[in-house]
Amino acid sequence: MFSLAIVAGGICGWRLSQRYLDRHREALFSARARRRHAALGYLAGRPEPDTVRLLRDYLSWERHPLLRRRARRIAHDLEQRIR
């Protein structure tokens, strides 16, 4: 019973996080940092040249150091996956 509750909680948590990412996937230049973070998570799963170009524009715009670091890491990973 306990393991079933853990699995159910994990599934619910995953679904909620996916809904949040889907809802804010186009909020890369939002005024709210959490929405920008969600948009970065969405873009991390899209290995396309346009995504890398968008992240480069975002890096020149973003001022929050943690989000810049995350965007830089995502852009680097996507570049490696595209090659």
Side-chain angles (χ1 to χ4, degrees):
M1 187 67 130
F2 180 72
S3 60
L4 180 62
I6 289 175
V7 171
I11 291 172
C12 288
W14 180 80
R15 293 209 47 183
L16 287 174
S17 68
Q18 290 302 310
R19 283 183 54 203
Y20 186 81
L21 287 176
D22 287 344
R23 188 174 15 184
H24 298 298
R25 67 180 173 203
E26 296 178 4
L28 190 60
F29 294 96
S30 171
R32 296 183 176 186
R34 289 188 54 87
R35 289 185 181 175
R36 295 193 308 265
H37 186 270
L40 287 171
Y42 173 77
L43 292 174
R46 304 188 57 88
E48 302 168 359
D50 288 339
T51 305
V52 176
R53 281 187 224 108
L54 178 62
L55 286 171
R56 295 291 174 208
D57 290 341
Y58 173 76
L59 282 167
S60 66
W61 176 83
E62 180 61 64
R63 297 292 172 229
H64 194 280
L66 293 174
L67 292 175
R68 284 180 58 83
R69 191 172 347 164
R70 178 168 164 77
R72 205 175 296 120
R73 187 176 342 114
I74 291 170
H76 176 73
D77 291 346
L78 291 177
E79 288 172 345
Q80 296 301 316
R81 286 170 52 185
I82 290 171
R83 290 183 187 175

